[in-house]
Amino acid sequence: MYKIEQTDFGLKMTFSGVMNGGEAQQFLSEFLRIIADYDRPHLAGIADVREFVPVIPEVLKIMHDTINAGTSLFRGTVRITVIVNSPVIKNIVTRLGYDTGTFAYFRFVSASEIKDPEKAAYDWAVNGIEPVATIVPIVPEYQMEYSR
């Protein structure tokens, strides 16, 4: 399942569950329609994939095409923040970024490490502020020998 929202800052895309090839093609069509009417020179986007399940190769190809189509339309700044919970999904998106030559536009926000992942995602996508993970110590604080 997916949802694309036009917001005051740009686009917010939410993915959850398993996506099949037909749904991925529908996403691509809707995304291209929205991008065609997008009236800003810069693309700020947030992709929330916290509840997304790893996808099949057909879907990855369509996502690859979506990334290429979206980023090729903009000559200005492109910043996309991906909110993740799963290292598997992060690796999939990282691979898509490298394969499409767009990895420099992406930042990842781990919802399990950052207190307010939506704010961190917004800060990168809109203002270019690099997300910084909040360190949550596993051992009691007095046993930690370093600080940030």
Side-chain angles (χ1 to χ4, degrees):
M1 188 171 125
Y2 73 89
K3 180 167 69 170
I4 305 173
E5 302 170 76
Q6 292 189 49
T7 67
D8 59 335
F9 65 81
L11 298 177
K12 180 174 184 197
M13 298 161 284
T14 306
F15 300 89
S16 62
V18 177
M19 181 180 278
N20 63 35
E23 189 175 18
Q25 192 62 49
Q26 183 181 350
F27 168 77
L28 173 59
S29 297
E30 185 176 342
F31 180 79
L32 292 176
R33 182 182 49 76
I34 289 169
I35 290 296
D37 295 334
Y38 198 78
D39 62 352
R40 301 173 193 181
H42 307 293
L43 176 60
I46 295 174
D48 187 339
V49 296
R50 286 180 275 195
E51 297 179 17
F52 198 42
V53 177
V55 293
I56 58 176
E58 176 188 9
V59 173
L60 291 177
K61 168 71 174 104
I62 294 168
M63 291 301 191
H64 184 279
D65 295 345
T66 303
I67 292 169
N68 278 336
T71 56
S72 69
L73 295 174
F74 295 93
R75 297 292 169 243
T77 305
V78 175
R79 287 194 291 258
I80 307 294
T81 312
V82 183
I83 304 174
V84 297
N85 262 345
S86 162
V88 173
I89 295 295
K90 181 180 177 190
N91 287 341
I92 289 170
V93 176
T94 299
R95 174 74 188 266
L96 284 169
Y98 278 118
D99 288 352
T100 59
T102 60
F103 186 73
Y105 306 143
F106 290 91
R107 293 299 182 271
F108 295 93
V109 171
S110 174
S112 62
E113 295 176 11
I114 294 183
K115 191 174 191 175
D116 187 352
E118 288 82 9
K119 181 179 181 332
Y122 178 90
D123 285 347
W124 165 253
V126 176
N127 301 316
I129 299 171
E130 293 283 347
V132 177
T134 303
I135 296 177
V136 179
I138 298 172
V139 296
E141 191 173 334
Y142 62 85
Q143 292 180 358
M144 299 192 65
E145 297 182 15
Y146 63 91
S147 63
R148 282 182 54 87

